Amino acid sequence: MAIVYSRCQKWASKSLIFNILVALPRFSFCARLFMMIESEVGQVKSKDSHQVVLLSDSTYALSVPNRAASNLENNLKVMARYQIQRYLLSGNDCSNPVTVSIDIKKLAEAKGVNWRTLERNISKAVDSLIKTPLSETVSYVNDKGEHIEDSLLVLDRIRKNKTSHVIEVQIGRSYTEYLVNKLLSNPELQTDPHFYLTSSSQYLLPFMQWLTGRIAIERKENPDRYPYEIYAPLEELLQSVPSGTKMLPTLYRQRVIEASINEINTNDYSQLTILNPDPNDFQRKEGRSICGFFFRVALKERTEVNHVPLFINRGGDGLLGLNRIPPWDYLASKLRALGYGGDNEKTALKRIEALRGNAMRVWKALLYTWVQLESLYTKEDKVLNRGGYFQTIYNKGVLPQQIDELARMVCFKAPFYADDTVRAAAEMPNMGPSIPELHCVPEQTEDNNAFLRDYKEKYGHLPGCMAKAAH
């Protein structure tokens, strides 16, 4: 599929194309197209399972959209969020705009349709976004204890090049910043994006977001209550799941609530089931008027299709968060210990804080720096500026190794730096005492290391980088 994109934005370009095609007839074809597109990145997906889920938290889930959105626009929201996640977790700099470019002529050629007709259809969808931009209002308490309401534009810019017939879409800076600094730093919920992208109801995304946000809060406030019991006044749902046109409560119940419940209970990718789907059971009335809704919700059993658990399991020790990345305070302290940022404490902390949005890249560069510093030390080479050495590694971009592989390199080649957090990232938490914490240790092989002998006996090869070194 011929699309104009930069290498790091490949997935976003294809995903946006899927969303535009959703606006066209034959939705089932579009769903199959999405499956085909995702299979092209299967190699990445198999290595990094976090890349198959859409992350959220209760605060964002309970955000309020500025208007009702079409299926196309909802799918665009999903893939914009998904692209931000992939961009960040791949170690890219999210302080730069995340953009997507679509070459309509090449897309039409790949689809086998007239490019002028395709351009007209796409332009109609894009024009509605230009006239009434999508935004979401998120309400939270900041670090100073202040109650903040942020209205975030999903898209900053849509540029149509009428000469080259290319459309460029730029994801909102404030929207990206919120997801990176607030949501992705401490996610609570996760959903397979196929759940939304294969749905037929335009109300499923806002309804499901609202429902999971309320469930997340219910789990905290009433941890012993299950199935989950959620009540909402009509006014709350009208705000969180707007209908777009004025509807009587009965019609709203039928077209919005019942349609969403049906999707949740029948979609193969659904994580939940509504135990009281009958309107007579879930609607609440004052006299003859609907005043609210009451839902009893249970978790579905996991299957090969419905394999993503709704709630993120953080593990027992809390040393690592999402994608085996430690808390930012840990990374910041290690950077400062290297002398990163210079001698002036205030300036150094400011420089360190500027890296917060790229925690994956920082963590990988830090692990690799420790290994290289140890190698230079044992060779009696002098590294006068260890912080500067980290900066050099960081500036080179994303390292190709996985985090567990880099952490194992630290454990085996630079054990002086191998604390509990590093060993947890290496998936070798009990290994510490077996390797003395000295600057100079013998090369670790299957002959002198029991862990390596057991590993090779079980898997037939040495772990990670050591397997490569053995060849």
Side-chain angles (χ1 to χ4, degrees):
M1 186 177 290
I3 305 168
V4 178
Y5 51 75
S6 68
R7 185 175 181 181
C8 65
Q9 295 162 342
K10 178 178 180 181
W11 172 252
S13 301
K14 293 182 177 180
S15 301
L16 183 57
I17 288 169
F18 167 77
N19 288 294
I20 290 172
L21 292 174
V22 168
L24 305 176
R26 300 186 64 190
F27 172 77
S28 60
F29 165 76
C30 297
R32 289 195 300 273
L33 177 62
F34 174 74
M35 306 290 186
M36 178 191 73
I37 289 171
E38 191 174 54
S39 70
E40 294 182 16
V41 291
Q43 183 178 3
V44 176
K45 192 174 73 171
S46 64
K47 289 182 179 179
D48 299 295
S49 60
H50 68 271
Q51 291 180 334
V52 304
V53 299
L54 190 70
L55 298 170
S56 187
D57 63 2
S58 57
T59 301
Y60 179 79
L62 294 173
S63 63
V64 177
N66 65 318
R67 61 177 175 85
S70 66
N71 257 338
L72 162 67
E73 292 168 329
N74 280 329
N75 289 329
L76 178 57
K77 279 186 184 181
V78 168
M79 299 318 298
R81 288 167 57 190
Y82 194 59
Q83 168 63 0
I84 292 169
Q85 285 180 207
R86 288 176 58 87
Y87 203 68
L88 172 70
L89 297 177
S90 297
N92 291 293
D93 184 359
C94 285
S95 62
N96 294 322
V98 181
T99 60
V100 181
S101 296
I102 305 169
D103 189 315
I104 293 176
K105 283 190 172 182
K106 291 182 179 179
L107 174 59
E109 182 181 351
K111 264 193 106 258
V113 299
N114 181 279
W115 71 267
R116 294 184 186 278
T117 302
L118 182 62
E119 184 173 49
R120 279 196 299 269
N121 289 333
I122 291 177
S123 291
K124 286 179 183 177
V126 169
D127 285 345
S128 69
L129 286 168
I130 294 173
K131 291 176 182 176
T132 315
L134 291 171
S135 70
E136 298 183 11
T137 298
V138 184
S139 180
Y140 61 95
V141 177
N142 66 11
D143 296 337
K144 299 178 181 179
E146 301 166 328
H147 185 189
I148 303 296
E149 281 192 355
D150 279 341
S151 292
L152 311 170
L153 284 173
V154 178
L155 302 178
D156 266 347
R157 186 186 69 202
I158 300 175
R159 171 178 288 172
K160 292 191 280 188
N161 188 321
K162 303 248 177 164
T163 301
S164 62
H165 305 283
V166 171
I167 294 178
E168 183 183 84
V169 179
Q170 182 173 296
I171 300 173
R173 285 176 177 268
S174 61
Y175 187 72
T176 301
E177 181 181 331
Y178 178 84
L179 261 66
V180 169
N181 294 331
K182 298 288 186 184
L183 192 158
L184 295 178
S185 64
N186 190 33
E188 302 172 76
L189 305 162
Q190 54 191 356
T191 309
D192 190 328
H194 289 86
F195 174 67
Y196 297 117
L197 297 174
T198 59
S199 72
S200 57
S201 172
Q202 72 182 88
Y203 304 110
L204 179 63
L205 174 61
F207 181 81
M208 184 65 173
Q209 281 196 175
W210 169 83
L211 184 62
T212 53
R214 287 290 303 272
I215 288 173
I217 292 174
E218 177 70 12
R219 277 167 53 91
K220 296 173 185 176
E221 296 180 349
N222 300 291
D224 298 326
R225 183 182 295 169
Y226 185 83
Y228 308 112
E229 297 181 353
I230 308 295
Y231 172 76
L234 175 62
E235 291 77 11
E236 179 181 336
L237 273 177
L238 286 171
Q239 186 180 38
S240 298
V241 192
S243 61
T245 58
K246 191 170 183 179
M247 295 182 184
L248 292 173
T250 301
L251 194 59
Y252 179 80
R253 184 207 71 204
Q254 292 172 346
R255 294 187 178 178
V256 178
I257 308 302
E258 290 184 45
S260 299
I261 289 175
N262 182 62
E263 286 276 3
I264 290 172
N265 283 357
T266 60
N267 191 302
D268 289 338
Y269 297 96
S270 177
Q271 301 151 302
L272 303 174
T273 184
I274 309 294
L275 300 176
N276 58 330
D278 190 314
N280 293 323
D281 292 335
F282 69 73
Q283 68 181 7
R284 293 292 181 267
K285 290 187 173 183
E286 288 183 357
R288 302 177 66 179
S289 301
I290 296 175
C291 63
F293 302 98
F294 174 80
F295 307 106
R296 296 182 69 249
V297 189
L299 299 174
K300 282 186 176 178
E301 295 292 330
R302 302 275 72 79
T303 68
E304 288 186 8
V305 175
N306 169 36
H307 65 281
V308 178
L310 178 62
F311 305 105
I312 293 174
N313 183 359
R314 302 186 184 283
D317 55 18
L319 293 173
L320 301 173
L322 176 68
N323 202 42
R324 294 181 183 160
I325 302 175
W328 180 252
D329 288 347
Y330 171 90
L331 296 176
S333 67
K334 295 301 181 182
L335 289 176
R336 196 68 195 108
L338 283 178
Y340 179 79
D343 296 331
N344 185 289
E345 189 73 12
K346 186 175 180 180
T347 302
L349 293 177
K350 187 175 181 180
R351 288 189 63 191
I352 290 171
E353 187 63 22
L355 302 181
R356 180 189 283 267
N358 298 296
M360 163 76 83
R361 187 169 169 182
V362 169
W363 183 217
K364 280 189 168 187
L366 190 57
L367 292 168
Y368 191 74
T369 296
W370 285 335
V371 173
Q372 294 305 305
L373 288 176
E374 184 72 11
S375 174
L376 292 170
Y377 185 94
T378 56
K379 291 179 182 178
E380 297 184 355
D381 290 337
K382 293 183 179 180
V383 180
L384 300 178
N385 186 351
R386 297 185 302 160
Y389 194 86
F390 163 84
Q391 183 74 66
T392 300
I393 301 298
Y394 179 85
N395 288 344
K396 287 182 178 179
V398 183
L399 295 166
Q401 297 93 335
Q402 299 296 310
I403 280 180
D404 57 350
E405 182 180 341
L406 288 167
R408 282 193 290 269
M409 289 172 66
V410 176
C411 288
F412 291 122
K413 297 183 177 182
F416 176 79
Y417 298 101
D419 58 15
D420 289 341
T421 299
V422 174
R423 285 189 284 270
E427 296 187 336
M428 300 188 301
N430 299 320
M431 218 188 131
S434 66
I435 298 181
E437 291 196 351
L438 300 174
H439 269 79
C440 186
V441 296
E443 181 181 359
Q444 298 299 302
T445 68
E446 57 190 299
D447 295 324
N448 63 14
N449 190 296
F451 172 84
L452 294 181
R453 286 197 297 274
D454 293 342
Y455 192 100
K456 187 171 183 179
E457 183 176 345
K458 183 176 180 181
Y459 298 104
H461 59 81
L462 295 177
C465 59
M466 302 196 69
K468 297 174 185 175
H471 289 85

